[in-house]
Every structure is written in structure tokens, then in C-alpha cells.
Amino acid sequence: MAIELTDELIALERAAWAEQQEGRLTVDTAARVQAAITAHAAATGQGRYDVERELKRRVRHPEPDA
């Protein structure tokens, strides 16, 4: 089963990843991402861990355009 992610969730993770790369990730930003992951997983019936893993993979290690 493919993990479904929303554009909003991807945007939140991209912002958090950018902050982390710049050494300025805040607890508030990290908490917003975690809350969004948890809510999305619950709403879609997907595992929270699976959603988080796929989200980080897509943001941090995107596949090159074909």
C-alpha cells in the first residue's frame, strides 16, 4: 500500500528540514510537523511511523525527475 501524503504535510516537513539544515529548528516547528503527521495518519488510517518515514524520505531524499 502506497503512503498518501498531502501537499500541506510535505510543505511543513520542507520548512522544518530547511530550519534544521540552517541550525534554527524550533520546538514549535517540530511539534507542528509531528502533530500534522499524527493527524494525517489517523485521518487516513495509515501508520504514523509509516507516514513520517515516507514524508522524510520524500523531502530529504527526493527521487530525480525522470
Side-chain angles (χ1 to χ4, degrees), residues 9 13 29-40 48 52 56:
L9 197 54
E13 178 61 23
T29 299
R32 278 195 316 255
V33 172
Q34 286 300 310
I37 289 169
T38 301
H40 178 74
R48 190 203 59 77
E52 182 173 3
K56 289 182 186 299

Side-chain angles (χ1 to χ4, degrees), residues 1-6 9-10 40-41 44 46 51 54 58:
M1 176 171 125
I3 300 297
E4 299 173 22
L5 301 174
T6 64
L9 197 54
I10 292 170
H40 178 74
T44 60
Q46 300 175 102
V51 170
E54 180 62 14
R58 285 195 201 175

Side-chain angles (χ1 to χ4, degrees), residues 10-23 25 29 33 56 59-62:
I10 292 170
L12 280 171
E13 178 61 23
R14 281 187 179 140
W17 180 237
E19 286 183 20
Q20 185 173 352
Q21 294 296 97
E22 296 167 0
L25 180 64
T29 299
V33 172
K56 289 182 186 299
V59 169
R60 298 178 185 192
H61 307 287

